Structure formats: structure tokens, C-alpha cells
Amino acid sequence: MTARRNTDPGESGMNDRKKRILWAVVQDYVSSAEPVGSRTIAKNYDLGVSSATIRNEMQDLGDEGYLEQPHTSAGRIPSIKGYRFYVDCLMEPSRLTGEEEDRITHMISDETTKADEIFRNMARVVASMTHTLSVAARRVSRTCIFNYIRFLPLDDRRAILLVVTQDGNVSNSVVNIPPGSSIDEMQLLADKLNHFLHGKDLSTTDEKTILSFQKEIERDLTPFSRIFVSMRRALAPQQKVYSGGAAGLIRQPEFQNVEKMQDILNLLEERDVLHSILDTAMDRPLAVRIGSENPDKSLADLSVVKAQFHVGGELIGTMAVIGPTRMEYGRVIGLLYFMQKHLEHMLKNKE
């Protein structure tokens, strides 16, 4: 399967030579984690042009926003725009080796393995093969008819969010009161949301539902985003979440300083963020969000490759691979494509 091709008009200035050089810069930087110079590209990649020509083209790519220069005297690295163009237009998913295919097929095809165990094993295997943090969730379907939500004051900064469904199920969680807001304002928002959602089947609630509500009340709901994450978790089909690979991610060069390492550890503790990654709606079975494209600021230095797994048209599980923007996108995507094919076939037989 080939990568999705970008049809943005801005591509018109990207000639074939620039594409080959951008591809080479991404390949080299992913491998070395060091800024890339024109001499390195000329030496390691047979592009049929001189180092001076490559240097000029890299300058143009920098001016166009595809490359960045971390330091004045250093080489260049891909920007978010450069990675996006690479993923959409230049990358091909990698093929797995026979040994890797056998390892995954054996894990998925074991008749004694339950579906939940397959998702847990899958998270561990993907993490070990890609040196990333992998999060997988097996979804258990249930109908969920919304009744109402209510906020109960806990202290000056926090409230208890109650989510009640028509079958009597009650979920509660502690949420922060957004700065500049109050418990009365939150309950007023809840009253409006209760009217908007009452009696609706929200087993597939997603960001589009919240955006529709935001449009109806003509108000920016960004300060309440974490509250909506908690609400969606309570209303969404139940799922068991498995993760693996935190140690491998922390060992990546990008996260060697204490501050960056702490950011990763904080991410692991923010279970709402991980659940939100898995719950976010997708318009295709596999999607890539790079750096600042991620809606949560805690993911601004990371990329997320997310795959959904369906059986008979029903979503039965999700996996997200979280790594540095300097991710081996082709390998990760190739691995997830392969897993989608074999896992869905296996779970279909188990159902």
C-alpha cells in the first residue's frame, strides 16, 4: 500500500530534485538524530548532483519551510511541514522481514489467545520493534443513551463530574475548574449540554459532537476541553487500555535531558491524554499527526500514528504509536498495516 499523496497546490514549487533531497534529509536525520549537511547527502545518497547544488536546494527548502536550521553553523533538520510532505508524498510503508511477519502472525493466530490478550501483546511487540510508546485498546460495545451531567463542587479548584445514562449507569471523575470560570458557570454549561444531548445514543460520541454543540451555543469551549475528554470517556464504549515501550521512548536522543524526560513521564501519568488519543475520531483507518498538529500541547514534540481495527464494519480496537517527530514513519506504518490485515482476520474468526 502506498502513502497518501498530498494534492495541496503549494506542492507546485517542489520539483523532483527537491523531493529527492528532502527524502534524503529525512532518511539521514531519522537514522542519525544529527543535523544533516549537503556533503553528507552527496556522500551517502547517489542523487547525481554536486554538494554545492544540494546545498542550494537545501537553502531553498529551508526558505520554503520544509527544513530548519537548529544552529547557524549546523546542518538542517526536517520541519513539521517537511515531515508532513514526506509522509504524504514521499514515504512508502516498509515491508516486514519474514521473521517479523512470523512473530506477529504467531502472536495473532494463537487460537488459545483471547482478544484482550492480543491487544496487550500487540502493544508490547510494536513498542519493542519501533522503540516507541505503544498504546492499544480493545473496545467492548454497548449502547449508551445520555441522560444528564452535573458538577458538584469539591473545592475552589476542582469539581466532581457526574455522568448519568438512561439505563441508570453513573460515572464520576474529578475535573479542574478552568481558570476564570466557576462552578456556577460550569453547571450552566452542563444544563445547555443536557438539553443538546438528552436521549441521544452517544456510544460513538466524538469531537464532532462537541464541535456541533460549540457552534449551537456560539461559544469557545477550549478551556473546557479536558472536561469533555472526561465526559467522552464515561460515555464511550468500555475499553481496556494496554501500553508498552515507555523505557524505549525515553532512551531516544530527543529525551535525554531531564526536562524532556519529565515531559514523557508526565504524559504517561496523564491517562486522559492517552485515552483522548485513542478516542479521537478518524476519517481513515490509519492517520498520522506530527508535532504541533496534535491538539494536546503535551504532544507538541511528538508524533502519533494511529490505526483502527474493524470487524464487519464495527470498530473493535485502536492502537496509537507515540514517538519523536524523528520517527521511522515508513516502518511504523508498514507494521500497523500488516497488523490491521492479520488482526482483523483473526478477530473475525474468533467472533
Side-chain angles (χ1 to χ4, degrees):
M1 183 179 294
T2 59
R4 180 173 61 87
R5 293 299 187 249
N6 193 332
T7 58
D8 185 88
E11 276 190 35
S12 57
M14 181 74 78
N15 59 40
D16 287 342
R17 186 161 65 194
K18 281 190 173 69
K19 290 178 182 179
R20 292 197 302 271
I21 291 173
L22 177 59
W23 177 88
V25 171
V26 174
Q27 294 293 114
D28 204 270
Y29 183 60
V30 166
S31 175
S32 69
E34 296 290 340
V36 183
S38 57
R39 291 184 179 180
T40 299
I41 297 301
K43 178 181 178 181
N44 295 342
Y45 301 89
D46 184 15
L47 301 182
V49 293
S50 68
S51 175
T53 299
I54 294 173
R55 182 169 58 253
N56 291 335
E57 295 284 32
M58 289 177 67
Q59 177 67 50
D60 289 345
L61 287 168
D63 293 341
E64 294 163 7
Y66 294 99
L67 297 179
E68 297 176 341
Q69 195 168 16
H71 308 288
T72 304
S73 59
R76 297 182 183 270
I77 64 174
S79 64
I80 302 302
K81 180 179 178 180
Y83 281 125
R84 171 51 61 192
F85 189 91
Y86 170 82
V87 169
D88 289 347
C89 306
L90 305 178
M91 180 210 74
E92 294 291 340
S94 301
R95 293 186 61 87
L96 276 63
T97 66
E99 182 179 347
E100 290 170 338
E101 289 186 358
D102 290 343
R103 179 183 178 187
I104 295 170
T105 302
H106 176 74
M107 176 192 69
I108 295 176
S109 300
D110 188 346
E111 295 294 339
T112 64
T113 303
K114 297 179 180 179
D116 286 339
E117 294 173 346
I118 288 176
F119 275 87
R120 182 177 62 245
N121 292 340
M122 185 169 65
R124 293 173 178 170
V125 169
V126 171
S128 68
M129 294 174 68
T130 61
H131 307 294
T132 59
L133 172 64
S134 299
V135 185
R138 161 72 165 161
R139 177 165 293 202
V140 180
S141 298
R142 67 180 175 94
T143 300
C144 180
I145 305 301
F146 180 88
N147 193 359
Y148 67 87
I149 67 169
R150 179 174 297 163
F151 293 102
L152 302 177
L154 184 61
D155 55 36
D156 292 340
R157 298 181 296 106
R158 298 176 300 167
I160 298 174
L161 168 63
L162 295 179
V163 182
V164 183
T165 62
Q166 286 192 354
D167 61 3
N169 183 61
V170 180
S171 301
N172 65 83
S173 58
V174 176
V175 297
N176 293 324
I177 299 175
S181 185
S182 66
I183 187 68
D184 291 337
E185 184 180 9
M186 291 170 66
Q187 190 53 49
L188 180 62
L189 182 67
D191 292 340
K192 294 180 179 179
L193 191 61
N194 291 339
H195 178 74
F196 181 76
L197 296 179
H198 184 75
K200 293 184 179 180
D201 179 1
L202 296 181
S203 59
T204 57
T205 185
D206 55 27
E207 289 178 333
K208 294 180 181 178
T209 307
I210 304 304
L211 290 175
S212 297
F213 174 61
Q214 178 174 275
K215 184 177 180 180
E216 176 166 306
I217 66 173
E218 299 180 340
R219 178 175 177 179
D220 179 17
L221 298 177
T222 302
F224 301 92
S225 59
R226 288 296 180 90
I227 293 173
F228 284 117
V229 168
S230 297
M231 190 189 78
R232 289 204 303 271
R233 284 180 57 188
L235 293 170
Q238 297 175 349
Q239 59 184 5
K240 297 182 179 180
V241 177
Y242 308 99
S243 63
L249 180 59
I250 290 174
R251 285 195 293 269
Q252 294 285 344
E254 289 86 344
F255 310 116
Q256 289 304 296
N257 69 64
V258 175
E259 183 178 348
K260 291 293 186 181
M261 186 180 297
Q262 188 61 49
D263 288 342
I264 297 299
L265 296 177
N266 290 340
L267 173 63
L268 295 175
E269 293 179 358
E270 290 282 353
R271 304 302 295 181
D272 280 354
V273 175
L274 298 181
H275 278 274
S276 178
I277 292 171
L278 294 171
D279 292 341
T280 301
M282 296 171 59
D283 58 3
R284 60 178 65 89
L286 195 149
V288 181
R289 281 184 171 175
I290 303 169
S292 56
E293 294 176 354
N294 290 292
D296 196 288
K297 292 182 179 179
S298 62
L299 301 171
D301 294 326
L302 300 166
S303 287
V304 178
V305 182
K306 180 178 166 184
Q308 291 182 332
F309 303 89
H310 296 82
V311 173
E314 179 185 355
L315 176 65
I316 50 85
T318 308
M319 162 162 277
V321 178
I322 305 169
T325 53
R326 186 189 56 84
M327 180 189 288
E328 291 185 89
Y329 294 99
R331 176 162 175 75
V332 171
I333 291 172
L335 180 59
L336 291 178
Y337 276 147
F338 183 85
M339 282 191 162
Q340 280 179 324
K341 176 182 176 181
H342 287 272
L343 180 62
E344 291 172 14
H345 174 75
M346 184 62 201
L347 289 181
K348 183 176 181 179
N349 291 339
K350 285 180 177 290
E351 296 293 329

